[in-house]
Amino acid sequence: AQKITQTQPGMFVQEKEAVTLDCTYDTSDQSYGLFWYKQPSSGEMIFLIYQGSYDEQNATEGRYSLNFQKARKSANLVISASQLGDSAMYFCAMREVYQTGANNLFFGTGTRLTVIP
Amino acid sequence: NAGVTQTPKFQVLKTGQSMTLQCAQDMNHNSMYWYRQDPGMGLRLIYYSASEGTTDKGEVPNGYNVSRLNKREFSLRLESAAPSQTSVYFCASSKDRLGSGANVLTFGAGSRLTVL
């Protein structure tokens, strides 16, 4: 079963507008972490924002905020005041612990965001 | 301040050939990882090394071997390449195991491998 689901393969947003990228997750753990990464066309993976499962406040980093709804198991990324440089692939990921005690980040399939001038 | 450096950036192999992807980090991180990225599938963990001297399998380890040469370097080897291993490979590192807190993965720029 998919641990991370991103249902929007592609999104368009007008420059200077806000956009929400959806992410739902599946885990039975009480302790987990949620991450968002950006992958521009150049290919590198850039960390954007992190939310811990016990964090009561939604995480914010500059123009990025994470709308964390624990009961609904969703961790949507909100980008305010979109810029042309925000055009990229965005990945949601969840940290989970293997039975062996190891850790892994499980990634969703990504959402391609295009900012329109 | 290089971060995570991967080589080579591009490689074309024939089926059955072997090759090694090299990765080095200069951030004094303890944990290192190899992921592969395939279209429509996100990133999947191949192998990781929680600390120097240890390695463990991830989600998709078949056909790969790894070596944690020292704290800085973590290599990924394809002994007999197959077309199914055509992918973009990412090395990553983190200060510690991905335990509590925002122990963030820092990624290399990626290596595009094509197996004919």
Side-chain angles (χ1 to χ4, degrees), chain A residues 2 31 33 35 37 39 42-47 50 89 91 95-98 100-110, chain B residues 33 35 37 40-45 48 56-59 88 90 97-110:
Chain A
Q2 281 281 3
S31 176
F35 300 75
Y37 279 84
Q39 187 178 41
S42 50
E44 73 268 32
M45 296 287 288
I46 301 167
F47 166 72
Y50 165 81
M89 198 77 167
F91 290 95
R95 181 195 67 233
E96 200 177 43
V97 180
Y98 284 139
T100 58
N103 292 265
N104 186 17
L105 274 190
F106 291 94
F107 285 82
T109 53
Chain B
Y33 312 80
Y35 283 88
Q37 183 178 24
M41 299 192 72
L43 279 77
R44 292 179 294 167
L45 182 66
Y48 70 97
D56 282 290
K57 296 178 181 179
E59 296 175 76
V88 179
F90 285 94
R97 282 172 174 246
L98 293 173
S100 59
N103 209 346
V104 173
L105 287 183
T106 301
F107 284 86

Side-chain angles (χ1 to χ4, degrees), chain B residues 76-95:
Chain B
L76 178 72
R77 183 160 179 83
L78 288 69
E79 290 290 353
S80 179
S84 60
Q85 294 178 302
T86 294
S87 188
V88 179
Y89 291 85
F90 285 94
C91 179
S93 69
S94 62
K95 186 175 186 303

